[in-house]
Amino acid sequence: MSTITFAVAGATGRLGRHVVDVLTERGHQVVPMSRATGVDIITGEGLAEALAGVDVIVDVASWHSSEQEAATEFFRTSARNLHEFGLQAGVAQIAMASIIGVDKATAGFLAAKKVHEEVLLSGPLAVRILRAAQFHEFVGQLLDWQQGDVAYIPVLPTQLVACRTVAEELVDLALAPGAPAPRTPIPEIAGPREETMAEAARLLGARRGIKVVGVDGSGMPDAEIAARGGFLPGPHAKLAGPTFQEWLGTQP
């Protein structure tokens, strides 16, 4: 198989690190793009130079807070810049990671990701999207956000998936030629079993000496949609391990 040159936007992030690893292990050339490597996809600094000779952009850059307006502005600007600079550089396509259920979202970070998808899909380059369930790694972040030795975590259904699993699926998608056929469902990747965020947090909390108390999730954006299973994978989703418990057993 011929070597393809990939530029990874958000290469130093939680998912980006895995995408870089998977591409490198498969023998492809990788151009990591992040502010740490001198590339800013918002201001455009270093972007033209980074994309010179690149075949495919993998967009896994994310915004650091869940505030809807700021996140929307970040995704809107980054999507336009990747199209504009990518078109000038002769990039063939963009593959991006999104979140299962964004099409139903009305508020918060998921609504910002919905705009991200729309702006990317409206640009001149071919775009492929992979919607993923929440990551196993997100559970630790939920606990980190809480103070003290008791954490209040929503009892909302989820189907947690490992970042590495998402990265492998996203790379497969990025290697697929051309745009998907019309009316093809957007592919989804999720973990092997449904559980609640609180259940997963209890397993991690036990390791950290944190008591986890399940709460109803009210106050969270689109909590009612989540409670009805609106952010669970659809019937066409690919389900892949490890489970959260299996993954936790491999963590230091």
Side-chain angles (χ1 to χ4, degrees):
M1 188 181 72
S2 59
T3 301
I4 296 173
T5 301
F6 289 86
V8 180
T12 55
R14 184 188 287 137
L15 178 56
R17 289 194 296 267
H18 288 281
V19 171
V20 170
D21 286 348
V22 171
L23 287 168
T24 304
E25 287 165 16
R26 295 190 186 181
H28 297 291
Q29 298 292 320
V30 182
V31 180
M33 298 197 303
S34 69
R35 286 200 296 270
T37 65
V39 183
D40 192 321
I41 60 173
I42 298 301
T43 66
E45 181 186 355
L47 194 50
E49 295 83 354
L51 292 179
V54 164
D55 302 301
V56 178
I57 296 169
V58 180
D59 182 8
V60 287
S62 195
W63 183 242
H64 54 74
S65 84
S66 58
E67 203 275 306
Q68 183 180 344
E69 198 171 322
T72 301
E73 189 54 36
F74 173 86
F75 289 130
R76 187 180 279 126
T77 304
S78 68
R80 287 174 178 160
N81 282 342
L82 290 177
H83 270 294
E84 180 187 337
F85 285 87
L87 190 65
Q88 291 169 3
V91 168
Q93 72 172 345
I94 300 172
M96 69 89 81
S98 189
I99 304 168
I100 290 173
V102 290
D103 48 321
K104 307 180 189 80
T106 66
F109 188 79
L110 263 67
K113 284 297 288 186
K114 183 181 187 176
V115 173
H116 189 194
E117 286 190 3
E118 289 165 354
V119 177
L120 270 180
L121 287 170
S122 67
L125 298 176
V127 170
R128 287 184 175 271
I129 295 171
L130 175 66
R131 290 179 180 161
Q134 286 286 8
F135 304 147
H136 291 333
E137 289 82 350
F138 179 65
V139 180
Q141 191 177 335
L142 277 180
L143 292 183
D144 292 342
W145 286 340
Q146 309 240 357
Q147 302 297 319
D149 52 8
V150 179
Y152 298 90
I153 305 295
V155 185
L156 293 174
T158 184
Q159 204 147 325
L160 295 162
V161 67
C163 266
R164 170 76 189 204
T165 302
V166 176
E168 289 170 351
E169 193 68 12
L170 184 58
V171 167
D172 286 346
L173 191 70
L175 287 164
R183 294 185 294 281
T184 304
I186 291 176
E188 296 179 353
I189 178 84
R193 59 181 289 261
E194 184 183 330
E195 53 202 322
T196 71
M197 203 60 84
E199 285 170 356
R202 281 192 192 101
L203 293 171
L204 180 56
R207 292 182 63 164
R208 294 189 181 181
I210 296 171
K211 181 185 178 183
V212 170
V213 176
V215 293
D216 68 1
S218 58
M220 288 180 57
D222 291 331
E224 288 184 13
I225 297 173
R228 293 196 300 268
F231 302 132
L232 291 173
H236 67 281
K238 178 175 179 178
L239 307 182
T243 64
F244 182 77
Q245 192 160 15
E246 289 165 347
W247 173 84
L248 194 57
T250 68
Q251 300 306 296

